[in-house]
Structure formats: C-alpha cells, structure tokens
Amino acid sequence: MSFLSPGFFLFFPVVTLVWFLLPGTARRLWLLLASWWFLLCGGPEHLLSLLAATVVTYLGARLLDRCRGKARKAVLAVLLVLLFGTLFLLKYLAFSLSLLERLLAAAGLAFSAPALDLILPAGLSFYLFMATGYLIDVYRRDRPAERSFLDLALFLSCFPYLLSGPIGRAGGLLPQFRKPAPFRWESFRRGLLRFLWGAFKKLVIADRLGLMVSTVYAAPDSFGRLQVAAAAAAFSIQIYCDFSAYSDMALGCAEVMGFHLMENFRTPYFSRSIGEFWRRWHISLSSWFRDYLYIPLGGSRKGRRRKYLNVLIVFAVSGLWHGAALSFVVWGLLNGVYQAIGGMTQKTRDRIRRRLGLADNAPCTIVLQVILTFLLSTAAWVFFKAGSFTHSLSIFGAMLTGPWLTRPFSAWGLDLPELVVVTLAVLLLLAVDLFSVLRGSPRQAFFSLPRPARWVLALALLLSVLIFGVYGTGYDPQDFIYFKF
C-alpha cells in the first residue's frame, strides 16, 4: 500500500481514530496489526519476511543479554550473518553470480549464472538495518534487550516508516510507543500540512520530472548536450523531491498520531560541500553508517589515510545498499572520493580564497560552493539513475559530444504547459527551502499567519496537487524510487 493509493486514504483515518480511542496495550496491538495489514497488502511474502526478522531479532537480543565474553561476540556474529545473509540472498545473489560469470569469462573459463527470480520483500533493507542497529546497541549494553515482543515488533513494523524509512532507533521510538501522546489539534494540522507538502513534491514535481528524465535517459544519443545535461540536473531534483516527499508524508502521518520521527532531509542542495550534503541527505541512513560502520572501523582516530579509507569503505557499502549493480557502487565510491579530495585540498583551497579576497562566509563564496556541490552530486547521480555502468558512460558521452540541441521541447516527454508547471513548482520548492535556510521552519511561519491566509494557502496547495499532479494511464502510485531499495 502506498501513501498515495486510494486505499491509504481509507486506511489511515480509521487506524488513527481507533488508535486514539483504545487504551494501553490494546493501542499498541491495534497499531501493530494495522502495520502488518499495511505490508500484507503487497503480498504475504512481504509480511512473512518481516515476521521472521522480528522473531530473530527479539530472541537474539534476549540471548545477547544473557551471554558474556566471547559468547556475546559469537551470538552477535551469528545474528548478523542471519540478517545480512538473508539480505544478500534476496538482493545480491543474482548480482554476485553475474559478476562471477564475467570474471570467469575474462579468465577464459565458462560459467553460466542461473536465472534467479527471487522476490525482494518490501522495506527489507530498512527494517533489517533497524534490527541490526538495535542488536548492536544491546551488544554494546547501550540499552537492555526488549522484553515485550509486542513493543519490539511495533518498533520494526510501524507503517509510516516501514517501507522507506526514516531508519529509526529503538531508544527514540520505543518510549513513544509505551507512552503515546494524546490527540493534539496542533500535531494533527501540522502533520496533515506536511503530508500535503510531500504529496505536492511527489505528484507535481518528482513524477513530472521523471517523465522527462526517463525519456532522455532511454536514448541519450538522440538528444543534444544541453538536453542530456538538463535531464541529469532534473533527476537530481526528482530524486530529492521523490524521497523527501516520502519522508515528509511518513513524518506527517506520525505527527498526526503523536509520534516524532527523525528528520531525514535538511535542504541538502544548499550544502557547501559533499560532506555537508551527506549530513543533510537521508540523515537516518548516513547517521546509521556513521555509528555502526564508520566509527567501528576507526573513524578519523587512526590517521588521515585510514580516515579516507574508512570513508571510501562506508560509501562503497552505501552504494551497494542502494542497489545490486556496479553503477551503484561507482556512485557510492564517487561520493567518497569527492570527500577525500575535498579533505586533502581544504588548506590549498582556503589559501586560494584568501588570495582572491573571498571571505569564507561571503555570499559569493557560498553561492559558488553550493553550485559546485550541486554539479558534483548531479554527476554522481548519473551512475545512480542509469542502471548500468556502460549506460552511465553513454550519458556522459552524450553530454560531451554531438549537437547542443536536437529536438523540440515536446520530445522531452513534457509539453510546454507541463514544463511551465514544473518550472513554477521547482521555483516554489526553492523558495521554501531557501526560507528554511535563512529564516527557519516554513511550517512555523505558515501557522503564525492569520487564519484566512492559512486557509487560502492550504487550499491552493491542495488544488495544485489535484489539478497539476501526474495521474492517469501508466502512473503507478506505489512507484516511489526508494521502494526498491
């Protein structure tokens, strides 16, 4: 079930109403059953995978609590093998076999990888990372093992963040389930506004830009350089609007029900470096890798070379987490290389700026750094979107060779009125994000307006979604980009 499917607009009000009416344990049981139903709508295999992971995590954490010394390490190792072994089998086995086939073919050996048709359960990567973080916290004795199966199951299953995050932590979520907040009108209206803003970003911007990006990326050689470069920039905006839209809707649903989830995006395209970009993009995943991979590898504590090696390892794993393809690994490594080069050239760049008379926080410096960061991230996103390494190279080749323009606007997958709509929508997004950077929370500013102004703006946003959203034949309301990760 998607946040934008008709079924959800019946499911969510019913679940929320009953949630606030029920007392105590019945509340949590109701939300757990509703969350399982939410996942079951996609097929029984999705729910069975979640149930298995929940049982392993619950029993494993209880066992970790009882073990001492080397036995604890052995139990943790077995649990991680079980969880990540399942992820490898379902998500990476086919990729690994095809890679082995290529390597053996290059060595002159014949090997044919079998065709596998394995189903990847919805949300698998997200709830396995939550389970792993929880188990490591128990192993480190940062928290005791959860005794209530109901609470642990709800932590891993709660429907707002189940399919695409944010990746929550037990320490932040379990207390909210045990002592849920009462209904508050303020939380209700703020949550609905956030959900509506997410729907605007998804339906009006992301899905419309997706039509153009898919058209150009399908045959880059038939478009001019500027058109291919524009499609690459459009994908940067598309994936931001698509994924941050899901996060906005998840946080909005949670806020209506009285929960507070981790912020997943903080205007990442206003970052002044790739390092800052990754502190503002998919924050729950970036912080997960920091706490459970980067720091255990040594972080920055073992010298400069080891620090950059650790960064490259983390981003290679991050790329592989996003998809079982070489292009995703290259995308991850490229972001790691950006940061390594940025760190190694920091002093040199500071000296050059001082000689040019550019202060570190001068508007000109900030604008140049923001533009450069956007261009670097856009170049990396080409590998993310292309689907294969060779197709990525063909896209870059189309940017560098051939005519500048070859086709009219209508050949981009969007006609002129649609281009006008998406341009105005992106400008609105830019204004809202810029307001967030310069003045603080746009929602806070919205609710400080007089009531008539609020109603006019809210209705205008709702009408823009209903009128200008991408609907109709061929549109899949479940097609959020991060659903497949």
Side-chain angles (χ1 to χ4, degrees):
M1 189 186 301
S2 166
F3 286 155
L4 295 173
S5 63
F8 185 77
F9 292 104
L10 176 62
F11 167 86
F12 181 64
V14 171
V15 170
T16 304
L17 177 63
V18 177
W19 162 258
F20 283 116
L21 291 176
L22 289 175
T25 303
R27 261 186 160 191
R28 303 200 299 277
L29 181 59
W30 164 255
L31 184 56
L32 177 62
L33 294 176
S35 298
W36 284 352
W37 172 257
F38 178 83
L39 191 59
L40 185 61
C41 289
E45 66 279 1
H46 303 298
L47 179 57
L48 290 174
S49 174
L50 174 61
L51 291 176
T54 303
V55 171
V56 168
T57 304
Y58 175 77
L59 295 178
R62 297 295 301 274
L63 184 59
L64 274 174
D65 239 6
R66 297 176 183 177
C67 294
R68 299 290 183 272
K70 294 182 179 180
R72 282 175 66 80
K73 290 185 178 180
V75 170
L76 179 64
V78 170
L79 291 170
L80 295 183
V81 168
L82 282 174
L83 295 178
F84 287 115
T86 302
L87 185 63
F88 173 83
L89 175 66
L90 298 175
K91 190 172 181 178
Y92 302 106
L93 180 59
F95 168 67
S96 301
L97 290 175
S98 65
L99 191 61
L100 178 62
E101 181 180 351
R102 294 180 196 174
L103 292 173
L104 292 177
L109 301 174
F111 172 73
S112 179
L116 299 176
D117 188 22
L118 300 176
I119 297 175
L120 182 64
L124 179 68
S125 297
F126 288 91
Y127 60 74
L128 285 187
F129 267 44
M130 291 177 64
T132 301
Y134 163 73
L135 289 171
I136 293 175
D137 287 345
V138 172
Y139 171 79
R140 293 172 175 172
R141 300 198 183 282
D142 291 338
R143 65 168 300 103
E146 182 57 45
R147 294 186 175 276
S148 168
F149 180 82
L150 171 61
D151 289 347
L152 180 69
L154 186 54
F155 161 65
L156 294 179
S157 309
C158 193
F159 73 88
Y161 55 77
L162 175 59
L163 296 182
S164 291
I167 299 172
R169 306 287 181 93
L173 290 172
L174 284 173
Q176 296 187 66
F177 294 138
R178 292 195 185 99
K179 294 183 179 180
F183 175 82
R184 293 190 179 95
W185 171 247
E186 180 70 15
S187 298
F188 178 79
R189 62 178 187 161
R190 289 175 67 88
L192 288 185
L193 179 68
R194 184 156 198 173
F195 186 95
L196 181 58
W197 178 242
F200 174 84
K201 289 197 289 186
K202 170 63 175 171
L203 294 174
V204 180
I205 302 178
D207 287 348
R208 183 165 273 105
L209 287 177
L211 296 173
M212 182 181 81
V213 173
S214 298
T215 300
V216 176
Y217 271 48
D221 294 336
S222 62
F223 290 88
R225 300 184 196 182
L226 291 178
Q227 291 161 310
V228 178
F235 180 72
S236 294
I237 301 171
Q238 178 199 354
I239 193 169
Y240 168 56
C241 288
D242 190 283
F243 193 19
S244 67
Y246 184 94
S247 293
D248 281 333
M249 286 186 272
L251 269 70
C253 289
E255 192 167 4
V256 167
M257 301 182 73
F259 302 135
H260 294 282
L261 305 182
M262 178 187 295
E263 289 289 339
N264 223 14
F265 292 88
R266 291 194 180 97
T267 59
Y269 286 131
F270 283 96
S271 303
R272 299 172 60 182
S273 67
I274 292 295
E276 183 184 352
F277 175 85
W278 281 103
R279 291 190 294 272
R280 298 170 135 197
W281 176 281
H282 203 347
I283 298 168
S284 62
L285 179 66
S286 298
S287 60
W288 194 98
F289 276 121
R290 178 198 65 207
D291 295 341
Y292 299 114
L293 183 58
Y294 177 71
I295 291 176
L297 284 173
S300 58
R301 304 187 304 274
K302 298 186 177 181
R304 207 173 173 194
R305 291 183 180 178
R306 180 63 181 271
K307 170 188 173 181
Y308 295 135
L309 176 61
N310 292 340
V311 168
L312 290 175
I313 292 172
V314 168
F315 275 91
V317 174
S318 175
L320 197 58
W321 177 86
H322 281 83
L326 181 60
S327 57
F328 287 108
V329 178
V330 173
W331 167 77
L333 283 172
L334 187 56
N335 278 283
V337 169
Y338 285 158
Q339 294 192 57
I341 293 175
M344 290 186 288
T345 62
Q346 181 67 55
K347 293 182 179 179
T348 302
R349 288 183 288 113
D350 289 345
R351 285 197 299 268
I352 292 173
R353 276 205 307 273
R354 284 194 295 269
R355 290 178 182 177
L356 293 175
L358 296 174
D360 185 56
N361 289 317
C364 182
T365 303
I366 294 173
V367 171
L368 287 174
Q369 288 175 332
V370 168
I371 292 174
L372 180 59
T373 301
F374 178 79
L375 293 175
L376 290 174
S377 63
T378 295
W381 285 127
V382 170
F383 292 100
F384 188 99
K385 171 61 178 175
S388 71
F389 183 72
T390 54
H391 191 52
S392 304
L393 296 181
S394 69
I395 292 169
F396 282 115
M399 291 184 196
L400 301 173
T401 60
W404 292 100
L405 292 170
T406 60
R407 293 186 175 192
F409 285 133
S410 58
W412 285 16
L414 299 176
D415 57 23
L416 186 57
E418 288 177 319
L419 282 172
V420 172
V421 168
V422 77
T423 299
L424 294 176
V426 169
L427 289 175
L428 175 60
L429 172 70
L430 179 64
V432 170
D433 278 4
L434 186 60
F435 184 94
S436 178
V437 171
L438 298 178
R439 303 290 297 274
S441 171
R443 282 197 304 161
Q444 192 66 34
F446 173 86
F447 285 111
S448 67
L449 295 173
R451 181 176 295 178
R454 294 201 307 268
W455 274 102
V456 169
L457 290 175
L459 286 173
L461 185 61
L462 176 61
L463 288 174
S464 67
V465 172
L466 296 175
I467 296 171
F468 300 114
V470 177
Y471 306 101
T473 304
Y475 172 65
D476 181 1
Q478 298 184 13
D479 191 23
F480 282 87
I481 292 175
Y482 265 69
F483 273 12
K484 58 191 171 192
F485 303 137

